[in-house]
Structures are given as C-alpha cells and as structure tokens.
Amino acid sequence: MEVLTAIAGKIAELTVIPIGRQVGYLLSYKGNYKELEDKIEELRSTKLRIEHRVDEERRNGKEIEVDVVSWQERVDETLKEVEKLREDQTHTSVRCWKLSFPNLISRHQVGRKAKKMTFTIAELKEKGTFDRGIGHVPAPGKGSLIFATPGNEKLDSRNSVKEQVILALIDPKVSKVGIYGWGGVGKTTLAKEVAKHVKDDRLFDVVAMATVSQTLDVERVQDEIAYQLGFHLDEKTSIGRADRLCARIKLEKNILIILDDLWEEIDLDKLGIPPEQDLKGGKFSLTSKRLDMPQKNETYQGCKLLFTSRRLDILQKNETQKNFVVEELNNAESRSLFEDIVGDAIKDAHLQKIATQVVERCAGLPVMIVSIAKSLKHNKNIHYWKAALNNLKRVDNGDMYGTVFSAFEFTYNRLEDDQMKKVFLLCGVHGRPMVVRDLLKYVIGLGILKYIDTLEEARNELYKIIDHLKASCLLIEDDASESNVIKMHDLVSEVAVSIARKNEYVFVLRNGRMQDWPSRGFLERCTQIILENFFIQELPQKLECPNLKFFHLQYPDNCTLEIPESFFEGMRNLETLDLTGLVMSSLPKSLGSLTKLKTLCLDDCTLKHMAGIGDLINLEVLSLIKSFIEELPSEVQQLSRLRMLDLSNSIIKTIPPNILSNLTKIEELYMGNASIKWEEESSTKQKSASLVELRCLTSLTALEIQVREFWMLSRDMMFNKLERYKVVIGDKWEWSSNKRISRLIKLKLDTSIHLEHGIKSLIKRAEDLYLDEVKGISDVLFNLNGEGFPLLKHLHIQNNGQLQHIINTTKRDETHVLFPELETLIGHNLKNLMKICHGPLPVNSFGKVTVIKVQSCDKLTFLFSVIMVKALSHLIELQVSKCSSMKRRMMMVE
C-alpha cells in the first residue's frame, strides 16, 4: 500500500503540478504580460544608464569590459524578443471559429513566454550593476605604443632613408645607427616608421623608444623604456634602477632601443642600456618567453641602438657607425602631405592657389605642414586661409626660423580660449618635460582655470586642455611615455617663448649666465620671469615688477644664493613663486608681503628657517619636494586655505602636533618617501603629529604616505573618498617610484588584516599590492577581495605561513573574472603555499599576466594546474628558485 501511495504521489507530481502551471499561464496571461511591461521599462532605464557610462569610458580612452559588451548584446536581443511578443499578443483577442471564445492557444503561449521573459529581464537588470567598472585602460604590449604618422609612407625621400636605416640596423657589424637633420624635419617620425617596420617584419622581437631632449632626465628615460618592456622600476637608487633595466633588456633575444633627440654625449651605463658587445654570453635567471623554453636565454643576439639628433657631431660623439641625414621635403612631397591632411577642402578652386603659397612658405618642414594643415582642415572660408598665408608672409622666406614661428603662431592664435593659450605658453616657457602635478600647481596659483571648485576638477580640465593641445600639434603625442608627463617640440617651445615675450612680457633665461636684467620699462610690464639652470653671483636688492604674476628661479647644482630681504617688495601682485635648488639660511622678510600668493614651491631647497610663511594667508599650494628642512614650521597651521601640501622625498622628520588637523581644506597630501616620525595618539608629551589628525581632512582625495610602525595607524580611519593613493606601511618596504600607478598599497602589519577596515577599502581598489607578514590570510581572494581584484596590476606576497593558495575556488561558485588586469605576480617565503590556483577558473582570469616569480616556497610541488596554464597566454617571464619540493624538472601541471 505504501508503494502504491508513493507511486500515486509521484504521478501527481509529474502530472497535476505541470498541468496547474500550464493552466496558470492561461488564466494569468494578462497579469504576466503587465508584469513584463513593468520590467521592460526598468531594463530600458538600466540600459540607458549603462550606455552613458560606456560612452564616458570610451571618451576617456578606455576599453569596454567583455562582460559589459556581452550584457548590452543580450539586452538588445531580449528587447527584440519583447517586440515580437507584443505582435503575438494581438493574436490573443482573435476568436476561435465563429463562436465568442477567445483564442486559448495564443493566450497560453503569450502567458508562458511573458512569464519566462520576465525572469530573463529581471536577471539582466540584476547583472547590469557592474560595480567592478565598465572599462579599463588598455595594457600596452611591448613596443606597441610607438605609432608612425599616417601619410609618411607616400613620401619617397623618407622611404629611401628608412630603407637605408633598416639595412644598417640588420647589419651584424653595426650596433649604433644615427639619424640627423634640422629641427622639425621629421627625424622622430622617421624613427617611429623604422620601429614599426622592423617590429611588423619581426626583424626585432622588441622595440622601445624614449625621448632624451635637451636636459637629460635619466629616471624618465628609464621609465619610458621599462614601460614598453612591460614592467616598472621600483628601485630607489640610480645604480639599482640601471642594473634592473639592464638585466631586463638581456632577457630579450634581440631588441632595438631608440633614443630620440640627443643633445650631448650620453652615458649608456648610467641609463642601464648595455653595449651590444657586453651582452653576448651573459648568464641569465630562469626565464622563458614560453612555458616550454629552456632555462637559459642562449639565443640572445644583442641590443641595437638608433639615435636621432639635430647635429651629426653629437651622433659621432656617441660612436654611431652609420649616420643618415633627413632633409626638407621637396615641393611635390610637401604638397602631397598637405593635401592628405586638409582633405576635401583642397578641391575648392578658390583655395588651391593659396594652398600652393602656404605649402611653399612651410619650407619643406613636416612639423609646420602638419600644424598649418590641421588648422585649415575644417574651415573652407577663403579669408581664414588668406590670414594663414599673410601670417607666414610676415617674415622673409629665407628666414626659416621666422617661417616656423609664423606657422605655429597661426595655430596658437586659433586656439579655442585663453585657458588653452595660457597653458600652452606655460608649458613652452619652461621648455623641459613637465609633470602634470607640477603644471597643476602653477595653473592653480595663476588662476588660469575658471569655474573650478576642486583640485580633482582642475586636474580633469587640465588633461582636457593637454589633449586639445596635442591634437593641435602644439604638444607631443608622446606614445611611449607615461600620461602624466608633458612634452613639447623644441621648435614649438621657442615659438611659445617668443609669443610669451611679445604678448605677455615674459622674460626667459635658460642654461646660461645672467649678464644684464631687462630694462626697467620691460620689468614694469613683465608678467612672468623664468630663470632656469642659470648662474648669477647675486640678486638685486629689489625688483620693481608691479605686474609680475609668476617668478621661477632654478639654480644649478644646489649653489648657495642668498635672496636679499627686500627682493620681493616690488612684486606685491605675485601669485606663483617657484624657488628650486637654492641653499638659503632663511626666507627673505619681503616674502611676507606677497599676500596674493597662491602657490609656493621650494623644491630641492636647503633651508634652516621658514619664518614668515604663516603670513601667506591666501596660499593654496605648498610644495617642498626633496627639501632639506628637518621640521615643518608650526606657522603652516595658519595657512587655512591650503589645498595641496607636497612633502615628497623631503628629509622632514617632524610635523608638530595640530598642524595637519587645522588644514581642513587640504584635498591632496603627498608625504611619500619622507622620513616623518609619527607619534601615537595616546602619547602624553607629543612632539610630533599622530596619524589620527588625518581624520580631520574630510576633503582629502589624494594621499601618499609612508608609516614605518604599523601600530601608529588608527584602525577606524576611513579612506573612501581617496581617488589616488600610495600608502606604504611597515619598516621593510622601499617607496615606489612607479609614476603610472595611481593606487598602491604596501603592508607589513604583523597583525590580522580583518581588523584594518580602512586599509581593506584601499586594497579593493588598488592597482599595486604588496603584502608582508599580514596575518589572517589563507586565501587572497576570499580574505581580501571577493570580487576578484578587477583593477589590480601587480601582486607581491611574502613571509606568510598560512597561505595555501592565492585563489581557491573549490569552496564556492566563482562568477567574477579573477585578476583580469594582473600583469605581475610575485611570491616569496610562503611556507605553506601548495599551488597558485586551486579549482576552476572563470574565463579571462589571469589573462594579462606577463611575469611570475616564486622563491622559497617549500611546499610548492606543482606551480600551475592545467587550467591555469591555458589561462597564461601572455606569460613572458617565469622565475622559480629555492622551492625544495618542486619536481626536478619543475613540472608545471599535475
């Protein structure tokens, strides 16, 4: 009987319940359809919101995540199905036969489809949050950021030189090749063409390019090369950086390095670029471009160098074996390049004659032709074209410099607004490559940007202007460098100085010796004085410059130069003051009279006293980068309007209590690599500030700080508002010099990370993460970021005895893509690490990893699972050492 009951129950389950569901579709079809319509409107709103975010990310140059694109496609398909269902819904009112019965079959089908589609739409809406982000910055491949200028392939004269350069580079007897020619003639463009050609034809495995410029910045050049090789330099010393770069170069079979715009003999050892003859037969660490390659790079063929310079003798000093000159374009090529850029506008018969004269006036210099053509491209007004020609005719055709000036002056005059013009001139008068943060300090001080409330808004607006200036060929589109460095062609810089001197009464002196100051009449009208890397025995007692807004004095080699006490009395309208590299006993008393001053930079200065700085009541930016000042003066707390304080790399050891807590308007605080001694909050006799004061900085959006004693860090500190940060905690870490990483955290806590809630919020958004002796971590993914670290690019874990796996997906269903942006993974002294990944991996996990290094992990037997090997399609470098349990042949799969 019990068996029969069970059978009957099963029959009911298999028949009655499904029948009830089908009847429900029939009876509730209108309700189902109404619910579907409501869900459709919600989905459409979500779709529109995601589309707005996608458009914004694309405007910012980001690639859209694969899951976002897939979601959009699914939504579009679903909405099409809904439209089809609406058409089907009209059939539900059709009567059966000639009677008044509704069409039950159609009603059943519509009710059933509507119910199922409602579930689908609800699922799509739930997945349309994308908390991990809509887009990401595309990671560069090695040498992939060296782009050639379109249209250059049509110029026969350039193709001829390009072929000769390539033949020289593949000659086994030649290691150094040079390209020289007049400024603006196209040396850099030709070098980029060569780079693209040898890379596409696989003549070199790797190509990297860096700009040297008139004043060599070793760190910047090293960073540019390292970036294109797929890694970053964190070494603190110049020797360490050079050694690391040299070792990385040696890992390639054959590599071409291009050093653009040489002005003097260059020390390759100092940069970390080894001569070819020193590289062959070297010993290398365990490295492979593919997982099955031998442990030693025995196929290494060496490094070749391509230099560009304005002067042949500079190339010869750098021991080039073959040199090639780039000459001006002939009339036919000039015309061809001009027409390619201008496009359809040249078809206008009224403009053709003017176009011929414009091209002639450009003197065969591509940099001028491109600039003028872009200015004329979108304007067919004949008066506009005539204005450009008249601008070029103001100088004699034989005066090539004058012709260049007039061409770029025309482009400058057509800029959209005064903000762009002022930023352009500011970049130009400084000449050297500028870091965006430094430019921002000047821009804030001079009040160039209008209708801006925060520094974050100002930075975004500044980047927008920089992009526009690049599009106008007034700034270099520096593909191979980090985005926070601004560069300008030397010719354009000279044009900017000329315009600034003529229109703004700007006095510029660089790399020279001061002979005489400008006339009294010029100084009275002068708005800016820029003195960079010049020598003068003494300054005048007083400069009468009533209209001066910006004074910049950079002294060479930290020479002692006392500023007279009354020096600034005649500059009462000064808004930005930059004194770099000075050795002074104290600040001059007249500094206190500069009540309109908004930006004060005392970078790389040696100062015993800073008395009087508290009088600068309107100061918004105070920069003391690399300053030799042991204690931050207590007067700083009087600067109630301060928005940015930069103490990076300074030797400041003491910040008196209550200074930071009084600077409540601070938005950006930089104290990276400074030797500041923090005190505990509970200390009864506080001589220095405690980190608790940071709680008062409620407007803080950027923070760089190094804390050597982890217990100084308050556990309830919240950092949710930070957009950019570098936080280093512990006594073992060196400060990171990687300028491209905007969110970095290094931790040596010796405590459980579960207690550090503020720190965990930073970890989730970090791009670069280092962990040392952090307790409470047995699974990095589960313990630190359950969303799979969608933004992390570099992960370094060391000295952990609990960690068994970096990822363990066996205990739960993992839906997030894991480490989608990760490039570098390093594990050191992880005593219980058994394998990197345990369990299945979602698609696209670890898809961008190029470097894995593992050392002193005694329980590590197999490094990867079969699944993970398949995921590591971009792995370039693999190092395994001192792992005693690893199989003799280092088997990587189980």
Side-chain angles (χ1 to χ4, degrees):
M1 190 68 182
E2 291 179 0
V3 174
L4 291 174
T5 304
I7 292 172
K10 192 65 178 177
I11 292 172
E13 180 184 342
L14 296 174
T15 57
V16 176
I17 294 175
I19 290 172
R21 187 186 305 122
Q22 302 303 322
V23 172
Y25 291 143
L26 181 64
L27 298 177
S28 304
Y29 90 96
K30 287 186 177 180
N32 291 348
Y33 192 78
K34 175 64 170 63
E35 183 182 3
L36 174 63
E37 289 287 354
D38 294 339
K39 294 294 183 183
I40 289 170
E41 291 307 313
E42 293 177 8
L43 182 61
R44 282 204 175 100
S45 299
T46 303
K47 177 178 181 283
L48 186 62
R49 187 163 57 252
I50 295 301
E51 284 175 352
H52 291 161
R53 291 173 64 186
V54 166
D55 291 342
E56 182 180 1
E57 294 290 73
R58 282 181 173 147
R59 285 195 299 270
N60 290 329
K62 293 185 178 181
E63 290 183 359
I64 306 305
E65 301 291 354
V66 175
D67 58 334
V68 178
V69 176
S70 175
W71 182 87
Q72 287 183 301
E73 291 173 350
R74 283 192 61 198
V75 169
D76 290 338
E77 290 172 1
T78 302
L79 291 178
K80 287 180 182 177
E81 292 178 16
V82 169
E83 288 302 318
K84 188 174 182 302
L85 184 63
R86 280 176 172 163
E87 295 174 3
D88 294 342
Q89 198 268 345
T90 59
H91 298 301
T92 60
S93 59
V94 177
R95 301 292 173 172
C96 295
W97 302 292
K98 295 181 181 181
L99 303 176
S100 58
F101 293 109
N103 192 328
L104 298 180
I105 296 175
S106 295
R107 285 194 174 191
H108 172 268
Q109 290 175 342
V110 169
R112 183 171 179 269
K113 286 181 181 179
K115 191 66 177 178
K116 291 190 174 183
M117 202 167 287
T118 300
F119 286 127
T120 300
I121 291 172
E123 180 190 7
L124 282 172
K125 182 177 178 297
E126 183 179 352
K127 290 184 176 181
T129 54
F130 301 112
D131 295 332
R132 293 181 294 127
I134 293 291
H136 63 274
V137 178
K142 293 188 292 183
S144 64
L145 295 184
I146 303 175
F147 300 120
T149 304
N152 220 41
E153 65 278 359
K154 298 181 181 180
L155 306 177
D156 291 337
S157 63
R158 296 303 185 264
N159 287 332
S160 174
V161 179
K162 182 177 73 173
E163 290 171 5
Q164 295 177 62
V165 171
I166 292 171
L167 286 173
L169 287 171
I170 62 177
D171 186 341
K173 298 179 182 179
V174 176
S175 60
K176 293 180 181 179
V177 179
I179 299 173
Y180 67 99
W182 203 73
V185 79
K187 301 183 296 298
T188 301
T189 300
L190 180 63
K192 290 183 177 183
E193 285 279 356
V194 169
K196 183 179 185 302
H197 185 98
V198 300
K199 192 75 169 65
D200 291 347
D201 286 5
R202 300 184 180 180
L203 301 176
F204 289 87
D205 289 345
V206 178
V207 181
M209 183 172 182
T211 304
V212 176
S213 198
Q214 191 167 359
T215 303
L216 173 63
D217 184 339
V218 172
E219 284 196 12
R220 178 182 54 77
V221 172
Q222 290 172 329
D223 285 340
E224 288 183 15
I225 296 172
Y227 181 62
Q228 293 164 86
L229 295 179
F231 79 110
H232 60 90
L233 292 164
D234 275 341
E235 283 70 19
K236 195 171 183 179
T237 65
S238 57
I239 295 176
R241 289 171 61 86
D243 284 348
R244 173 86 188 285
L245 182 59
C246 182
R248 179 63 184 86
I249 290 172
K250 291 178 181 180
L251 297 178
E252 300 300 333
K253 177 181 176 182
N254 58 3
I255 179 172
L256 172 64
I257 294 179
I258 303 172
L259 297 180
D260 187 35
D261 196 20
L262 267 64
W263 285 73
E264 59 187 359
E265 185 177 352
I266 195 167
D267 187 343
L268 294 177
D269 289 337
K270 188 176 181 180
L271 283 174
I273 302 174
E276 183 185 22
Q277 61 268 25
D278 293 343
L279 296 175
K280 294 181 178 177
K283 294 182 179 180
F284 304 96
S285 59
L286 176 62
T287 303
S288 62
K289 286 188 176 183
R290 297 182 303 274
L291 298 181
D292 57 348
M293 279 189 67
Q295 295 184 8
K296 184 178 177 182
N297 192 353
E298 296 175 345
T299 60
Y300 182 76
Q301 295 177 0
C303 170
K304 294 207 175 185
L305 298 169
L306 176 60
F307 300 135
T308 77
S309 179
R310 292 189 183 187
R311 294 162 48 186
L312 176 59
D313 63 322
I314 296 299
L315 296 177
Q316 292 169 338
K317 287 180 181 179
N318 284 280
E319 300 179 336
T320 50
Q321 292 142 298
K322 288 194 176 183
N323 298 301
F324 303 93
V325 63
V326 183
E327 296 178 337
E328 296 82 14
L329 298 177
N330 59 40
N331 288 337
E333 290 180 327
S334 297
R335 178 81 181 201
S336 174
L337 179 59
F338 181 84
E339 289 180 355
D340 282 345
I341 296 172
V342 170
D344 292 340
I346 199 67
K347 295 179 181 178
D348 190 324
H350 296 92
L351 300 179
Q352 289 182 6
K353 185 177 179 180
I354 302 173
T356 300
Q357 297 178 68
V358 167
V359 171
E360 288 175 356
R361 289 283 173 174
C362 287
L365 298 178
V367 69
M368 287 178 55
I369 296 169
V370 171
S371 176
I372 289 292
K374 283 191 174 182
S375 297
L376 299 174
K377 181 177 182 179
H378 300 294
N379 196 324
K380 296 183 180 181
N381 188 313
I382 191 170
H383 301 294
Y384 191 87
W385 283 55
K386 285 182 176 180
L389 178 60
N390 291 334
N391 210 74
L392 292 169
K393 282 182 176 180
R394 288 176 189 165
V395 292
D396 183 78
N397 197 33
D399 180 5
M400 194 168 286
Y401 269 104
T403 306
V404 172
F405 279 25
S406 60
F408 281 108
E409 188 174 30
F410 175 80
T411 304
Y412 163 79
N413 287 332
R414 267 62 187 176
L415 290 175
E416 290 181 3
D417 54 45
D418 286 341
Q419 289 186 168
M420 289 186 183
K421 291 180 178 180
K422 288 178 179 179
V423 170
F424 165 71
L425 294 180
L426 202 53
C427 294
V429 296
H430 281 80
R432 55 183 166 77
M434 292 183 69
V435 177
V436 173
R437 190 195 296 180
D438 292 339
L439 180 61
L440 180 65
K441 294 172 185 177
Y442 298 156
V443 165
I444 292 297
L446 296 170
I448 290 176
L449 303 178
K450 307 300 181 184
Y451 313 113
I452 295 296
D453 295 324
T454 67
L455 293 183
E456 189 66 25
E457 290 177 6
R459 180 179 278 100
N460 292 335
E461 184 66 21
L462 188 55
Y463 272 113
K464 176 183 171 184
I465 291 173
I466 290 169
D467 288 342
H468 190 95
L469 293 175
K470 286 179 179 179
S472 302
C473 293
L474 294 176
L475 290 179
I476 293 175
E477 190 71 56
D478 194 17
D479 316 302
S481 179
E482 63 270 23
S483 60
N484 64 347
V485 173
I486 306 162
K487 294 182 180 178
M488 182 180 286
H489 195 287
D490 295 322
L491 281 177
V492 182
S493 177
E494 292 172 24
V495 172
V497 171
S498 175
I499 294 172
R501 183 184 296 115
K502 181 174 61 177
N503 295 354
E504 305 288 336
Y505 297 99
V506 176
F507 176 61
V508 179
L509 177 63
R510 293 200 295 259
N511 304 313
R513 178 180 291 268
M514 174 69 81
Q515 301 294 335
D516 293 303
W517 287 89
S519 66
R520 180 176 178 179
F522 184 90
L523 288 176
E524 288 179 350
R525 293 190 295 269
C526 194
T527 61
Q528 296 184 32
I529 294 177
I530 312 295
L531 306 172
E532 286 189 345
N533 200 29
F534 85 109
F535 181 79
I536 186 174
Q537 289 188 334
E538 61 180 10
L539 293 170
Q541 291 297 312
K542 182 179 178 181
L543 276 182
E544 286 293 343
C545 302
N547 293 304
L548 197 67
K549 303 291 185 183
F550 185 17
F551 185 84
H552 176 45
L553 172 63
Q554 180 182 352
Y555 214 48
D557 301 323
N558 294 97
C559 297
T560 301
L561 179 68
E562 290 293 337
I563 300 178
E565 296 292 347
S566 57
F567 183 72
F568 294 111
E569 285 183 1
M571 310 179 191
R572 294 183 182 272
N573 286 310
L574 202 65
E575 295 175 340
T576 298
L577 175 61
D578 186 344
L579 304 174
T580 300
L582 272 65
V583 178
M584 302 178 286
S585 57
S586 62
L587 296 174
K589 292 180 180 179
S590 56
L591 187 72
S593 64
L594 304 179
T595 55
K596 294 185 179 181
L597 198 68
K598 292 182 181 179
T599 292
L600 174 61
C601 301
L602 297 172
D603 300 341
D604 204 18
C605 284
T606 300
L607 266 169
K608 292 183 180 179
H609 307 289
M610 290 181 64
I613 196 171
D615 296 332
L616 305 176
I617 55 175
N618 287 307
L619 203 64
E620 296 184 15
V621 176
L622 176 59
S623 181
L624 298 169
I625 299 174
K626 295 183 180 179
S627 62
F628 291 82
I629 306 167
E630 292 197 1
E631 181 174 328
L632 192 68
S634 57
E635 288 185 52
V636 170
Q637 67 181 313
Q638 299 170 219
L639 307 177
S640 58
R641 298 189 179 184
L642 205 63
R643 302 165 71 188
M644 181 193 295
L645 178 60
D646 197 340
L647 309 177
S648 304
N649 301 294
S650 67
I651 68 161
I652 292 177
K653 295 179 180 179
T654 305
I655 298 179
N658 303 319
I659 289 183
L660 294 178
S661 57
N662 279 310
L663 303 177
T664 54
K665 291 191 176 180
I666 283 278
E667 298 173 44
E668 300 188 2
L669 178 59
Y670 302 102
M671 299 182 287
N673 206 30
S675 305
I676 300 169
K677 293 182 179 179
W678 302 97
E679 289 197 14
E680 292 187 71
E681 181 184 10
S682 58
S683 177
T684 55
K685 296 181 180 179
Q686 272 195 319
K687 294 182 180 179
S688 188
S690 69
L691 291 168
V692 177
E693 292 191 40
L694 297 182
R695 293 179 188 166
C696 302
L697 309 184
T698 55
S699 299
L700 202 64
T701 59
L703 174 65
E704 293 186 2
I705 188 171
Q706 189 164 17
V707 183
R708 299 195 179 278
E709 299 83 10
F710 76 88
W711 59 83
M712 297 288 184
L713 196 68
S714 176
R715 291 182 175 180
D716 58 352
M717 292 180 68
M718 301 305 293
F719 299 109
N720 295 333
K721 288 187 177 181
L722 293 182
E723 297 291 335
R724 290 174 310 284
Y725 52 84
K726 287 187 179 182
V727 178
V728 177
I729 300 171
D731 56 2
K732 284 189 176 181
W733 300 117
E734 288 187 349
W735 184 253
S736 173
S737 60
N738 186 1
K739 300 184 179 77
R740 298 180 190 88
I741 296 296
S742 59
R743 293 185 296 277
L744 173 146
I745 183 163
K746 294 185 176 185
L747 294 178
K748 182 180 182 298
L749 289 179
D750 195 26
T751 185
S752 174
I753 200 162
H754 299 295
L755 302 177
E756 319 298 337
H757 301 299
I759 295 299
K760 286 190 73 173
S761 70
L762 298 183
I763 289 175
K764 287 187 175 182
R765 295 178 287 136
E767 295 176 339
D768 206 339
L769 176 61
Y770 293 69
L771 299 172
D772 180 24
E773 293 186 19
V774 181
K775 296 180 181 179
I777 301 179
S778 57
D779 178 340
V780 171
L781 185 66
F782 179 74
N783 295 133
L784 299 182
N785 190 337
E787 296 179 354
F789 287 96
L791 304 174
L792 194 65
K793 295 181 179 180
H794 308 283
L795 175 61
H796 182 125
I797 309 177
Q798 64 187 41
N799 302 324
N800 185 299
Q802 297 175 270
L803 191 68
Q804 294 182 332
H805 312 99
I806 305 297
I807 292 176
N808 184 351
T809 60
T810 60
K811 298 178 181 178
R812 53 185 177 162
D813 292 331
E814 189 55 62
T815 57
H816 297 98
V817 178
L818 308 179
F819 298 101
E821 298 296 320
L822 194 69
E823 299 170 11
T824 305
L825 175 60
I826 298 175
H828 179 219
N829 194 27
L830 306 177
K831 296 179 179 179
N832 282 302
L833 182 71
M834 301 178 70
K835 70 175 75 164
I836 290 177
C837 178
H838 185 43
L841 279 177
V843 178
N844 297 323
S845 298
F846 289 100
K848 294 184 180 179
V849 172
T850 58
V851 177
I852 294 179
K853 298 179 183 180
V854 182
Q855 181 179 346
S856 301
C857 299
D858 294 336
K859 289 191 177 180
L860 187 66
T861 306
F862 301 105
L863 190 58
F864 307 131
S865 64
V866 176
I867 295 174
M868 192 168 183
V869 170
K870 293 178 180 179
L872 298 172
S873 58
H874 291 87
L875 189 64
I876 295 173
E877 182 178 350
L878 174 63
Q879 292 186 15
V880 178
S881 60
K882 299 180 181 179
C883 296
S884 56
S885 298
M886 182 69 71
K887 299 299 183 182
R888 182 174 62 85
R889 295 188 60 181
M890 203 193 74
M891 296 292 293
M892 291 174 292
V893 298
E894 295 175 299

